[in-house]
């Protein structure tokens, strides 16, 4: 259980999921230390505008082991979300993914051990499974490194679990399937479609639309993190956060177009295609473990979640943050 008397740490708090998790923790009454990646502009990403006396924003980088130990001082529970996540960029800059995702995770679990944390929840990804060998994909499914990104996350998971096995560090691995919602980066399929339509495009540039995904609305993902942190006895376990439903990319585009009342066609943009052996063809998660061990259940349907996402992206002050005409790796 999260100790209300101790600070909760969120790394990657300035990002898409991290900022939503930070807001959820604040709404539940926790004191939160939120890590934003250091930059010279004093810019805290999606934490900008969140004003709460229980929020402490710190700037730094999980690639620095000494810094990780410093930010874990006085912390009870940590949620480690800091990572490089864009799959296409991992094809051209794989070394940076090893530094941030593997070494950064090592630094955080070492700090958790040294500082005696009650629990550290390490964020994995459904990409570690690769194309489904069987569905639904449960936690025993083979890991398949189909991109440098997924390889780095497989390595990060292994490092985290090794600390539980070797030192009994209280590690729980959360493995969310495809999270979407307000604030998601433009490199993902749903923001790509929404922002192009919102900016008036009638021919939508896309990658391969045949793969399937198991889409989690961001608030459901964050509630999953909280459920895993608040449930005793989950140390040493890796647990899916999934809806148990799949949809093709093409069906997703068609549903977005319907909700936005847009008559659009699409064309495949070659630069948006993954190498053929790197594309994950099918993701459909098995959520029986999390449902059996916690009170978590998915609450937001795809239609409802997409409408909430569309409503956020189409606000002018949000839409102007995104360059829909530029492909973002």
């Amino acid at each position: 259980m999260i100790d209300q008397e101790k600070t909760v740490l969120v790394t990657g708090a300035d990002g898409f999921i991290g900022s939503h998790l930070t807001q959820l923790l604040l709404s539940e009454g926790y004191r939160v230390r939120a890590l934003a990646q250091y930059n010279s502009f004093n810019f805290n990403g999606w934490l900008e505008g969140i004003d709460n006396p229980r929020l402490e924003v710190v700037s730094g980088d999980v690639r620095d082991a000494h810094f990780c130990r410093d930010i874990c001082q006085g912390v009870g529970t940590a949620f480690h979300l800091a990572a490089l996540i864009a799959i296409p960029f991992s094809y051209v800059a794989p070394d940076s993914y090893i530094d941030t995702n593997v070494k950064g995770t090592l630094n955080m679990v070492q700090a958790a051990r040294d500082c005696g944390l009650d629990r550290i929840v390490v964020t994995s990804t459904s990409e570690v499974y690769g194309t489904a060998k069987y569905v639904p994909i449960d936690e025993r499914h083979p890991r398949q490194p189909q991109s440098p990104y997924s390889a780095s996350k497989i390595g990060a998971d292994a490092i985290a679990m090794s600390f539980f096995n070797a030192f009994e560090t209280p590690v729980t691995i959360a493995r969310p399937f495809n999270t979407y919602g307000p604030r998601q980066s433009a490199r993902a399929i749903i923001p790509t479609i929404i922002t192009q339509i919102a900016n008036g495009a009638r021919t939508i540039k896309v990658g391969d639309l045949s793969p399937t995904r198991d889409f989690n609305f961001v608030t459901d993902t964050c509630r999953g993190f909280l459920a895993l942190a608040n449930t005793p006895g989950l140390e040493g376990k890796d647990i899916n956060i999934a809806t148990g439903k799949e949809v093709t990319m093409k069906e997703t585009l068609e549903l977005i177009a319907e909700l936005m009342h847009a008559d659009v066609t699409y064309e495949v943009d070659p630069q948006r295609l993954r190498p053929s052996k790197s594309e994950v063809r099918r993701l459909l998660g098995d959520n029986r473990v999390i449902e059996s061990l916690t009170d978590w259940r998915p609450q937001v349907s795809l239609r409802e979640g997409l409408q909430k996402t569309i409503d956020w992206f189409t606000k002018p002050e949000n839409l102007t943050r995104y360059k829909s005409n530029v492909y973002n790796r």
Side-chain angles (χ1 to χ4, degrees):
M1 298 286 290
I2 300 178
D3 189 340
Q4 287 272 9
E5 299 302 313
K6 296 180 181 178
T7 296
V8 177
L9 171 66
V10 180
T11 73
D14 51 339
F16 162 45
I17 301 175
S19 62
H20 283 278
L21 178 59
T22 298
Q23 287 185 303
L24 175 61
L25 290 164
L26 291 170
S27 73
E28 295 287 329
Y30 298 105
R31 293 196 311 273
V32 180
R33 181 175 297 158
L35 172 62
Q37 187 174 27
Y38 174 81
N39 61 80
S40 61
F41 304 104
N42 196 27
F43 178 66
N44 294 324
W46 291 117
L47 294 173
E48 295 287 337
I50 301 177
D51 186 17
N52 190 300
R54 285 178 280 103
L55 174 64
E56 174 195 3
V57 179
V58 295
S59 297
D61 197 314
V62 295
R63 292 176 296 179
D64 189 291
H66 301 288
F67 173 78
C68 290
R69 192 172 294 109
D70 285 345
I71 62 173
C72 283
Q73 298 293 332
V75 167
T77 299
F79 294 91
H80 176 47
L81 285 79
L84 286 175
I85 60 171
I87 295 167
F89 190 56
S90 78
Y91 300 136
V92 298
D95 190 59
S96 59
Y97 284 70
I98 300 303
D99 272 355
T100 300
N101 298 350
V102 181
K103 182 77 181 301
T105 299
L106 170 61
N107 292 340
M108 283 302 302
V109 293
Q110 182 69 66
R113 180 194 179 205
D114 292 346
C115 296
L117 266 62
D118 303 322
R119 177 78 60 86
I120 178 168
V121 178
V122 174
T123 309
S124 181
T125 170
S126 56
E127 285 284 326
V128 303
Y129 294 129
T131 297
K133 290 184 174 294
Y134 60 82
V135 294
I137 299 170
D138 59 24
E139 290 82 356
R140 296 184 299 274
H141 189 283
R143 278 44 167 175
Q144 301 180 96
Q146 290 181 220
S147 66
Y149 164 70
S150 64
S152 73
K153 295 298 281 186
I154 291 169
D157 291 354
I159 284 289
M161 198 58 72
S162 77
F163 267 66
F164 171 77
N165 291 326
F167 312 116
E168 297 185 351
T169 305
V171 171
T172 301
I173 295 177
R175 186 166 295 119
F177 278 62
N178 308 90
T179 303
Y180 72 100
R183 306 178 198 152
Q184 188 173 17
S185 70
R187 50 99 203 155
I189 183 69
I190 288 174
T192 290
I193 295 167
I194 293 173
T195 56
Q196 287 183 76
I197 294 175
N199 279 303
R202 290 298 171 259
T203 301
I204 308 303
K205 294 182 178 180
V206 294
D208 190 346
L209 292 181
S210 63
T212 70
R213 295 293 183 261
D214 184 333
F215 285 117
N216 273 304
F217 190 63
V218 65
T219 56
D220 279 343
T221 295
C222 292
R223 287 191 309 101
F225 277 104
L226 198 55
L228 295 181
N230 268 323
T231 302
L234 300 188
E235 296 86 357
K237 296 184 183 297
D238 56 330
I239 301 176
N240 290 341
I241 305 174
T243 69
K245 299 178 181 178
E246 66 181 327
V247 60
T248 67
M249 302 292 200
K250 184 173 185 294
E251 290 168 335
T252 304
L253 185 155
E254 291 169 347
L255 181 52
I256 292 171
E258 175 192 334
L259 292 170
M260 296 183 73
H261 309 288
D263 182 14
V264 297
T265 58
Y266 66 88
E267 65 179 19
V268 174
D269 180 357
Q271 69 175 332
R272 298 171 192 256
L273 296 172
R274 297 193 199 182
S276 59
K277 291 182 180 179
S278 186
E279 179 62 78
V280 175
R281 306 300 313 174
R282 189 178 188 190
L283 286 174
L284 170 59
D286 187 329
N287 61 17
R288 286 177 292 182
V289 170
I290 191 171
E291 288 194 348
S292 67
L293 296 177
T294 77
D295 61 0
W296 181 88
R297 304 290 184 276
Q299 293 182 351
V300 182
S301 70
L302 181 60
R303 177 177 287 270
E304 179 186 358
L306 285 176
Q307 187 61 66
K308 290 175 181 289
T309 306
I310 290 165
D311 292 344
W312 185 87
F313 272 95
T314 52
K315 290 180 180 178
E317 64 270 27
N318 297 328
L319 185 61
T320 56
R321 296 171 180 259
Y322 291 82
K323 301 174 183 178
S324 65
N325 61 331
V326 178
Y327 173 57
N328 186 343
R329 286 184 180 271

